[in-house]
Structure formats: C-alpha cells, structure tokens
Amino acid sequence: MMGIWLRRIVRWMVLMLGSVLLFVLVVDRFYPMALTPTRHVSRVVTGEEGAWLYAVTDREGRWRFPADLRRIDPLYLRMLQVVEDQRFDDHPGIDPLAMVRALGQWIASGHIRSGGSTITMQLARLLEPKPRTLRSKIIEMIRALQLEMHHTKPTILSAYLTLTPYGGNVEGIVAASRRYFGKLPTNLSPAQAALLVALPRNPEQLRPDRHPRRARAARARVLRKALHHGLITPALYARAITAPLPQKLHPFPRYAPHIASRLLRKAPEDATTVTTTLQAPLQTQLEAWARIAGMRLPAHATLAVLVVRNRDGAVEAYLGSHDMFSPRTAGYVDMIRAVRSPGSTLKPFVYAMAFEIHRVHPNTIIRDRETRFGDYLPHNYSRRYTGEVTLTYALEHSLNIPAVKLLAQVGAPAFVARLGRVTGKLHIPRGTPTLPIILGGLGITPWQIAQLYVGLARGGEAPRLHLLPSKGEDNTTTLCDPESARMVTAILRRIAPPAGHVDPLQHIAFKTGTSYGTRDLWTAAYTRDHTVVVWVGRPDNAPMPRHSGREVAAPLAFDVFEILEALLPDRAWGWSPDYLGTTAPQALRTFDRTVRVATPTMHFIRPAEDARFRSAGCYDATVPATLDGGTPPYTWY
C-alpha cells in the first residue's frame, strides 16, 4: 500500500515539474529574459596602467559600472553567497530548501523573517522591478528559471553585482566601492566587504555617512555569519567589528577633463572603458600643481601643459587649462588644441634646416643689425642690436634678425612645408608663407609645437603624438638630419635656466617665445626622455603687458620637470656630450659675406661697420662719422 502511494506522489511531482517546465518554456518563447540593462553603464577613461582618471554617469544619470568577477575581492564574493544564497552554485534559479525554510518561518512567527529569494531571483527583480506581492514573487521565480536556462552562473552573478542598489544613483559593487572607499573592489578588508554585502538590503537606511548606527549593526550581522562559516578568523573578526565606518562619500575622478570628454565622445557607444597613455600619478600631481600655479598668472590668464614621452610620442599628461571649472579664465576651453601665435618657438627649426643644407655652422658669424627685407623691417624684441655674433649666440639669445636672415635662405614656403609634414596643417595668414612667420606670424597649437620638439629630442625623427595605446606601427616623419638636431639641442641646452631654477648638468634644452602684443607666452623644453610644452595666455586673446615667455612660462616648465624627476627617479636624464667646436669651416665662417641681403640705402663710411672703440678715459672723447646716402640733416639715435 505504501509503495502505491509513493509511486502516485512521484508521478504527481513529475507531472507538476513537467507542467512547470512546459510553462516556463512557453513563457521563455514569447517573453524572453535579457540582460540588456547591464549594458547601460557608466563609462570611464583610464591611464596607461589602468588607474581611473575620468568617469561619467550612464544615460540616466546613474553611477553603474560593469562587474568583472576576476577583479572583485574573493572574500566579498564568499560573504555574499553565505548571506544571500548559500546554494547559488547548485540550484536552478530557485532554492526549494530556502523556500520551505521561509514558509516555515512565516507560519511559525506570523511574519516573513527571510524571503527565500536566490541571487538569480533578485537579479530578475532588478531587471524587471515589480511591487512586492505573491504574484510578483511567482513571476520572479519563473524569470529566474529563464535566466538559468540561458546564462552561466558567473554571468548571472556579474549581472547582479552590476545592478545591485547602494543608495541614490549608485548601483553595483564597483560604483559602491569607489563611492564609499575611494577604490576598486579588488582588495577589500573584511569590514569593507561586510558593509558592501549588507548595504543592498536597505541602501538608504543603512548608508554609513547618514545612519552609522544602523550601518554598524548591519555590518556586524554579516561579520558574525562570516565568522560562523569560517570565512574569517576570530582575530580578523575582532578587528573588523571595531573598524571605523566611512564618514563621507568619495567623488568619482574627473582628471584630464578636456581630453577625456573628447575621447569619450569619439569612442564607440559600447566602449565602457577608454584606455589612454596618460600616467595617472603625473596627471593628478600636475593638476594639483596647476591650480596653485594659476594663482600666480597674469590676470584672467590660464596655462596649458603637454608632457610627451619621447621614445614613442605617447602623451603622458594633458592639461587644457589650469582649472576647467574657472569661468574667470574660460577654463572650459582646451588651449592645447587652440591655434595661437608661436612667438620665437619656431626659430630652432630654421637653424636646424640651415645647418642641414650646409649654409651655416653653429659658429658662423652673422651680423645682428637692423636689416630691411624688401618692405619688411623686423626688429629685435629689445630694440637693440648686437653686431657680429655667432649663430650659437644668436639662437641662445633669441635674436630676431639672424633668424629672419636664415629663413630668407631656407625659403619660407620650404620651411612651412617641412613643418607641415610633421605637424599637419598650419594656419598661414593669407595662405602664403612669408618671412614674418619665423617671429610668430602664423597659427599653431601647443600640440603641434610639442610634435616638433619631440622630433628635435629624437634626433630629427618625429613620431606621431598619440593618446591611445599604439598598435606598434611606425609613424615617424623626418624633421631634419640627426647632426642638425644635435647641434640645435646643444645650443638650447646652453640657455640659462629661469630665475629660481638650476640645471647644473644642462640636461634641459628649452626655448621660450612671446607673441606680438604679449598674447602668448611659451616654453618648449625637452630632455632625452620627455618633452614639455607650456603655454600661458588669455583664451579671449587679450594682451598681457610687461610679461614674457621666459619670465612666466619657463619657470612653469622647469616646475614640471621637477615633478617628473620626483616621480621617475630612476630615469637616465643626461645627454651624451655635445661638441660644437670653436670655429666654423672656412667657407662658412661669415654669413653676410657669402649671402647678399637687402640693406638700407644709407650706411656708414666711417667708422667701419661693427667697429669697436676702447675708452681712453676721456668723457668728452668724440668719434667723427661719415655717412653715405640719405638726405641731411641726419638725426643720431
């Protein structure tokens, strides 16, 4: 008799299970369950080593990041299963034992003490929120069976940890760990893991920054369970139970905002992470330094900084302004991409090209005096002239007349074409390159200036600057030959450091620049390993009287190198010895005797050009002068 009843019960159970399975299959056919919401996540820009630099919410304003089980602390995962779903790895989405236990507790106590919901059922509720009713519970069970039919346990757990609510607009273990502890959940302490397990039960009422007593009690319940199941030792439990709670929420990172927002706009919509070549420690330190340095700038001025790794052209730091959120200085404008006048920063390249075509040598003598080039009459910045000097002296002291003379020999169109092959399009007034371009008469961006100086640092071969990891392709362009680049570098290393800085080994080669009307203050500097470009100015293009690139931008560039050297103490910063010699080859000893340049129609017969007179100690000594040309009477300046 007993056997007959047993067979009937078995047949009834098989029939019921078959009916349930058939019903689930029908539902799954017409109402499939998808994990689509897990693809609507926040996006993040990281540095080269994976450190977060910039994060944005998803399209609905939520902080929600995909959960990768390989990057979540194993202790947290074990605690979660012990508290929420001990048989998660074995059940098909519904845990019959947990359901029977919950039903028994309800009958015995008259109220629900444990819900009996599995992690899969909770995921179904997160995917399709419904009122907490018996009907909703049945739907959750069916949906849980559907999820288990189509997805693996790791996929289900990852989806659950992506959508779990943690209060406000924070969802998922990754966002919660960043919000409460300021770090990713890869390495959590027992106290931190327990709090993150406890919070989703009632996220608004258990927030540690608002309700510390409730949060501490909820964390303690999880820790006791972890101790009971042997997940932590008594010693770890004793430390965790008294560990302080987080008292404030950590902001999500917003470093490198100009370029990070640009990269996110360009990235595919399904790209949740954009990895860059930026170095997070360097970027964060430079931004902190820039906010302080910005206080010392001319009124309403901002600064832009670009740091490039010379080896491969990777951009390691990018500051579009000293403070993105400063309305006083239009900080939201990305000045790294802004077209500005370069001042004198292009002079080294005309020297390099003149060296390359063997028209001059660093020790060639050139006359620095007022010179007319057709209808163009340039002047030195100081309005003073030095007479006969070497080209090394002329570049070291940024004399204008020698630079224009060299450009007249190289040819303005050829010069611009060579630069353009390296930098891309340059902005030429009226479209025709003329001699004033060497003194700032064209438009160029700090990004393009960095591209050129990296080429000098690399011996004349300029790699393409990039912010995204290189795929190994060779994108170098020839700027000049190695010998010319070496000569220019040797000269730029001789320039005296700005006030307040020292460079005893002369390992920093640099050139400053000040544009017409002091609207742009520049310094481009490089060592063997890094190139730094600093621009200071007003985004509205207003002038900054009584300031210069050497006084304002150069000290900032040297500050950046000090930060670099502190972060990278093991780098080899020195150059190999450079030798410029003391005399030029016989054919290149004097520039002005071998090259005819248009000169003023009036000139001195006596004293001879560039003559020097030693004082005899007489205050009333006179030097008679004889002039040729012009119309008397003459005025002496």
Side-chain angles (χ1 to χ4, degrees), residues 117-384:
S117 292
T118 64
I119 286 177
T120 314
M121 291 171 62
Q122 293 182 54
L123 174 59
R125 184 165 62 247
L126 292 171
L127 292 170
E128 295 181 349
K130 291 181 173 59
R132 304 294 292 274
T133 63
L134 180 60
R135 178 177 179 275
S136 297
K137 180 68 72 174
I138 294 173
I139 294 174
E140 287 172 16
M141 295 168 64
I142 296 172
R143 290 306 210 179
L145 292 172
Q146 287 181 260
L147 288 171
E148 295 278 352
M149 289 168 56
H150 294 286
H151 303 286
T152 64
K153 291 288 185 179
T155 301
I156 290 171
L157 184 56
S158 176
Y160 171 77
L161 294 177
T162 299
L163 302 177
T164 312
Y166 278 90
N169 65 340
V170 177
E171 294 183 3
I173 180 66
V174 177
S177 183
R178 292 282 320 194
R179 193 55 132 182
Y180 288 111
F181 307 121
K183 65 178 184 178
L184 295 174
T186 53
N187 185 24
L188 299 170
S189 69
Q192 292 171 339
L195 181 62
L196 292 177
V197 169
L199 278 173
R201 288 291 183 95
N202 197 342
E204 293 297 342
Q205 296 301 315
L206 297 178
R207 276 183 52 167
D209 58 318
R210 293 181 178 177
H211 308 287
R213 293 182 60 182
R214 296 174 187 169
R216 190 180 299 277
R219 184 184 69 176
R221 286 193 292 271
V222 175
L223 288 171
R224 284 194 293 271
K225 257 195 170 179
L227 176 64
H228 176 72
H229 285 82
L231 302 184
I232 56 176
T233 64
L236 286 175
Y237 172 81
R239 285 200 295 270
I241 203 75
T242 58
L245 291 167
Q247 297 180 350
K248 64 177 183 179
L249 301 180
H250 292 263
F252 288 92
R254 305 287 278 185
Y255 296 106
H258 296 91
I259 191 59
S261 57
R262 177 192 295 264
L263 291 174
L264 286 175
R265 286 194 301 270
K266 291 185 176 181
E269 289 189 5
D270 58 349
T272 60
T273 301
V274 176
T275 301
T276 70
T277 60
L278 298 176
Q279 302 298 307
L282 176 62
Q283 182 73 32
T284 55
Q285 286 204 31
L286 283 183
E287 291 195 22
W289 160 82
R291 283 191 290 273
I292 297 174
M295 300 177 185
R296 305 193 301 268
L297 298 178
H300 303 288
T302 187
L303 67 89
V305 179
L306 198 66
V307 179
V308 182
R309 188 169 60 213
N310 294 335
R311 182 180 73 247
D312 56 359
V315 176
E316 294 194 341
Y318 188 112
L319 276 71
S321 68
H322 78 277
D323 184 359
M324 169 116 177
F325 305 102
S326 169
R328 186 177 64 90
T329 61
Y332 55 86
V333 179
D334 183 0
M335 300 308 300
I336 293 294
R337 304 281 180 173
V339 176
R340 308 294 299 192
S341 168
S344 297
T345 56
L346 296 184
K347 288 178 181 175
F349 305 102
V350 76
Y351 279 75
M353 292 180 196
F355 294 155
E356 185 180 53
I357 61 177
H358 305 294
R359 293 292 178 87
V360 291
H361 179 274
N363 294 307
T364 296
I365 300 298
I366 193 168
R367 291 173 182 165
D368 174 40
R369 66 178 186 182
E370 186 176 82
T371 305
R372 180 178 294 277
F373 301 82
D375 59 355
Y376 177 46
L377 183 63
H379 300 280
N380 282 335
Y381 180 77
S382 64
R383 294 280 176 162
R384 298 178 180 179

Side-chain angles (χ1 to χ4, degrees), residues 289 296-297 495-502 508 510-514 521-525 532-536 548-562:
W289 160 82
R296 305 193 301 268
L297 298 178
I495 299 175
H501 294 271
V502 295
I508 299 177
F510 75 102
K511 181 70 184 74
T512 62
T514 305
L521 313 179
W522 295 87
T523 292
V532 172
V533 171
V534 173
W535 173 89
V536 175
S548 69
R550 179 170 181 84
E551 294 170 353
V552 178
L556 299 175
F558 274 69
D559 285 349
V560 174
F561 274 112
E562 289 177 5

Side-chain angles (χ1 to χ4, degrees), residues 408-570:
Q409 286 302 297
V410 170
F415 178 70
V416 169
R418 179 80 67 90
L419 297 188
R421 285 199 295 271
V422 176
T423 65
K425 181 181 179 182
L426 297 171
H427 296 261
I428 310 298
R430 295 181 296 279
T432 303
T434 54
L435 295 182
I437 63 173
I438 198 61
L439 305 184
L442 55 72
I444 195 169
T445 67
W447 180 277
Q448 292 172 309
I449 290 286
Q451 181 85 64
L452 293 170
Y453 277 87
V454 171
L456 278 182
R458 283 173 48 99
E461 292 295 322
R464 180 180 60 84
L465 301 194
H466 58 277
L467 278 152
L468 302 178
S470 173
K471 297 179 181 178
E473 65 271 19
D474 182 16
N475 287 316
T476 59
T477 305
T478 299
L479 174 65
C480 61
D481 66 17
E483 184 69 10
S484 301
R486 185 186 70 83
M487 289 177 176
V488 170
T489 295
I491 296 172
L492 298 183
R493 287 175 57 200
R494 294 162 57 104
I495 299 175
H501 294 271
V502 295
D503 183 19
L505 300 179
Q506 291 186 326
H507 74 290
I508 299 177
F510 75 102
K511 181 70 184 74
T512 62
T514 305
S515 71
Y516 178 77
T518 62
R519 289 173 168 82
D520 305 274
L521 313 179
W522 295 87
T523 292
Y526 59 96
T527 63
R528 194 173 69 181
D529 291 311
H530 287 89
T531 294
V532 172
V533 171
V534 173
W535 173 89
V536 175
R538 292 182 52 160
D540 62 3
N541 206 36
M544 298 170 291
R546 298 181 299 280
H547 292 290
S548 69
R550 179 170 181 84
E551 294 170 353
V552 178
L556 299 175
F558 274 69
D559 285 349
V560 174
F561 274 112
E562 289 177 5
I563 295 172
L564 267 171
E565 294 181 28
L567 289 173
L568 305 169
D570 298 328

